[in-house]
Amino acid sequence: MANMKMEKNPMPEQDPIVRAGNFDEVALGYSAEAAIDEAKRCLNCREPRCRTGCPVSVRIPEFIAKVAEGDFDAAYEIITSTNSLPAVCGRVCPQEKQCESKCVRGIKGESVAIGRLERFVADYHMNKKKKAAVKAPESNGHRIAIVGSGPAGLTCAGDLRKLGYDVTIFEAFHKSGGVLVYGIPQFRLPKEIVAAEIENLQAMGVKIVNNAIVGKSETVDELFEDGFEAVFIGSGAGLPQFLHIPGENLLGVYSANELLTRVNLMKAYRDDYDTPIKRFGRVAVVGAGNVAMDAARVAKRLGAEHVFICYGIEFNLLNNPVAIHGGEDGHVTGIELVRQELGEPDEKGRRKPVAVEGSNWILDVDTVVIAIGTSPNPLIRNTTEGLTFTKKGGIVADEGGVTAREGVFAGGDAVTGSATVILAMGAGKAGAKSIDAYIKSKK
Ligand SMILES: Cc1cc2nc3c(=O)[nH]c(=O)nc-3n(C[C@H](O)[C@H](O)[C@H](O)COP(=O)(O)OP(=O)(O)OC[C@H]3O[C@@H](n4cnc5c(N)ncnc54)[C@H](O)[C@@H]3O)c2cc1C
Ligand code: SF4
């Protein structure tokens, strides 16, 4: 008998006042009792709409049924048959826009908390003292190179290894995981979780070479010369965009990427690390997307007195930065903004913001963080013949990750520009499938 409660079981969280002063995870996860109770809200629909909303087609009602029975091991098996990073997805996927937005329980009341259940199952497995040994499939002798260890590269690697391929990931940073480790902050996605998922892949036999920048240490052509038969490029979109206004090179101006990388990867938030980072007072974050919110939350946790979000009509602030001002010491003292108002509707009915003449004003700040988007790094573009690129610098590839160059496949942010973890994973899966078909077609 299904549990017909209208609301989801709430997610236990750290108190807001306490969490503003630490980097520990905000959401604490379901207990086994809450997970079973939540799982019983699922109607086990014959035609599960939730599954159509998942880019990697997790068998949602099947795993939820196992949670309802208390068989968490079976639930884990079902999830990982299609998703190699469940503890990550359970934390950072926008489920409200994907699986949960399609759930029939959401029509009258709240959808089933699919993401929270996925996280519960993954954490249960991770915390288990005695884990079943991970099986490393026999090698089929074909070597595949993967550029980048973000969700696209890791998923592609895992799927190919399961098919028997001998897979090596080349990663520019000293730590693997892509944006999962250097972008998304610790309090939303603890780095130990990402490390554990990567260890699972390594136990399966995936090799990772860190500090290897493809295009510098070795080019894509050299990878082929070394005997790799196909290359998957999952190098992301890590190049920050700037405003191109006066004062952007002053001390105290960061791109969100730089700030988040210093904090995440170089552990600037810990007193026992000497990563150079200024203690913040008043911080202006320029941008209004997810990355801007992460940067604002990080600045707050680093002790900022005030964090201002400047930009974007999302906040109705309608202020656009025109210059950053500094003192004689070359350090930021303020950001100059111009007020905006909504202009006449264009042919699509959209009212674009226009600057109000003479309305400039200066917000006193000591730090400016620019979070207005990123694009793919040009290194691969500049060193690899035979690929084609979009105007925004993304590699042109079809849905299966097939590029203009034979044997080279691509997916994730490197193709689409900045998107989501699960879309990158979906692209990694599609790439693995295409590579398998390509190698088989050559035999
Ligand atoms: C701050 C922030 C917060 C985010 N929050 C969320 C969220 O909550 N939910 C969500 O779904 N998405 C979120 N995203 C977006 C999401 O993280 C990305 O869409 C996703 O990580 C893209 O995966 P990817 O594998 O394509 O690339 P990436 O994760 O960028 O990984 C690419 C990897 O390739 C490496 N690399 C690059 N060039 C080379 C080279 N030449 N040689 C070797 N290695 C190379 C990079 O070092 C990196 O490790 C967020 C992004 C940011 C920046
Ligand atoms: S749509 Fe909702 S209720 Fe139906 S199977 Fe999926 S999670 Fe369960």
Side-chain angles (χ1 to χ4, degrees):
M1 181 64 190
N3 166 358
M4 293 314 287
K5 254 195 310 199
M6 289 300 196
E7 280 100 35
K8 293 175 179 173
N9 277 270
M11 177 59 114
E13 285 185 348
Q14 265 202 79
D15 179 85
I17 308 277
V18 175
R19 73 190 191 220
N22 69 46
F23 275 80
D24 297 341
E25 197 172 11
V26 171
L28 302 173
Y30 275 167
S31 63
E33 294 71 36
I36 292 173
D37 190 62
E38 184 62 30
K40 288 185 176 159
R41 292 186 63 233
C42 173
L43 304 175
N44 210 338
C45 305
R46 193 173 299 201
E47 283 183 28
R49 298 177 3 162
C50 52
R51 207 177 162 193
T52 62
C54 175
V56 297
S57 294
V58 168
R59 289 149 54 201
I60 293 168
E62 289 173 60
F63 101 73
I64 293 183
K66 290 296 172 196
V67 176
E69 288 169 21
D71 188 349
F72 307 138
D73 289 313
Y76 183 78
E77 289 293 315
I78 294 170
I79 297 175
T80 48
S81 68
T82 56
N83 182 344
S84 41
L85 307 172
V88 171
C89 290
R91 286 173 164 79
V92 301
C93 273
Q95 286 101 2
E96 64 290 352
K97 291 195 201 136
Q98 296 174 339
C99 52
E100 292 183 14
S101 75
K102 308 261 182 199
C103 170
V104 289
R105 290 296 312 260
I107 299 171
K108 274 194 196 163
E110 287 184 347
S111 65
V112 174
I114 302 168
R116 293 175 187 174
L117 289 173
E118 184 180 38
R119 167 186 165 147
F120 168 78
V121 171
D123 287 2
Y124 165 84
H125 179 82
M126 218 170 263
N127 293 333
K128 242 172 96 163
K129 293 209 176 64
K130 251 177 117 190
K131 291 192 194 118
V134 180
K135 287 183 216 111
E138 286 274 305
S139 167
N140 64 11
H142 295 283
R143 294 174 67 216
I144 314 292
I146 305 226
V147 183
S149 66
L154 291 174
T155 304
C156 187
D159 279 20
L160 286 169
R161 190 69 268 279
K162 284 183 196 155
L163 292 170
Y165 289 92
D166 187 344
V167 183
T168 308
I169 301 180
F170 295 89
E171 166 55 49
F173 271 128
H174 64 283
K175 277 251 167 82
S176 311
V179 171
L180 305 180
V181 290
Y182 68 73
I184 304 179
Q186 176 79 8
F187 52 81
R188 281 211 295 128
L189 178 61
K191 304 310 151 212
E192 305 74 44
I193 302 274
V194 184
E197 304 255 43
I198 292 173
E199 276 165 28
N200 274 344
L201 289 172
Q202 286 176 308
M204 263 169 51
V206 171
K207 295 178 209 116
I208 306 185
V209 183
N210 289 102
N211 302 313
I213 308 176
V214 173
K216 252 191 190 159
S217 331
E218 205 167 13
T219 62
V220 168
D221 290 281
E222 284 163 345
L223 291 174
F224 282 111
E225 285 163 24
D226 287 350
F228 289 101
E229 293 173 65
V231 178
F232 176 84
I233 302 176
S235 50
L239 187 72
Q241 285 167 14
F242 285 93
L243 293 159
H244 304 293
I245 58 173
E248 261 184 316
N249 53 359
L250 286 166
L251 298 173
V253 180
Y254 297 84
S255 69
N257 257 40
E258 183 190 354
L259 173 75
L260 293 169
T261 304
R262 280 181 194 238
V263 171
N264 278 322
L265 213 50
M266 297 156 78
K267 302 214 174 355
Y269 63 92
R270 280 180 39 178
D271 292 336
D272 51 338
Y273 278 71
D274 49 12
T275 305
I277 197 151
K278 210 170 57 80
R279 294 291 149 192
F280 300 136
R282 290 162 63 87
V283 181
V285 176
V286 181
N290 283 336
V291 179
M293 297 309 125
D294 277 342
R297 294 171 77 186
V298 160
K300 184 76 198 141
R301 281 168 171 77
L302 287 173
E305 285 161 39
H306 286 285
V307 181
F308 304 91
I309 308 269
C310 311
Y311 205 61
I313 47 175
E314 285 92 328
F315 279 80
N316 260 332
L317 292 181
L318 289 171
N319 279 296
N320 217 23
V322 286
I324 300 167
H325 295 275
E328 275 176 13
D329 59 356
H331 211 285
V332 170
T333 55
I335 180 163
E336 183 176 338
L337 301 156
V338 60
R339 292 195 209 283
Q340 313 252 293
E341 59 186 17
L342 294 176
E344 291 302 313
D346 62 15
E347 61 283 2
K348 287 191 185 139
R350 267 198 305 250
R351 298 176 64 197
K352 276 211 179 127
V354 284
V356 178
E357 216 177 301
S359 68
N360 295 33
W361 62 289
I362 293 175
L363 176 68
D364 291 339
V365 290
D366 52 36
T367 309
V368 176
V369 182
I370 299 173
I372 56 164
T374 53
S375 53
N377 191 300
L379 190 58
I380 301 271
R381 186 164 71 230
N382 295 341
T383 55
T384 316
E385 294 285 324
L387 293 175
T388 47
F389 296 89
T390 63
K391 267 196 208 135
K392 291 188 172 161
I395 300 170
V396 176
D398 71 9
E399 280 191 357
V402 177
T403 69
R405 176 165 169 181
E406 193 191 323
V408 179
F409 300 79
D413 284 5
V415 168
T416 55
S418 192
T420 62
V421 171
I422 197 77
L423 285 174
M425 289 176 65
K429 260 189 171 320
K433 218 168 147 195
S434 300
I435 290 174
D436 183 43
Y438 168 70
I439 300 289
K440 285 185 175 142
S441 74
K442 285 203 315 172
K443 277 186 196 166

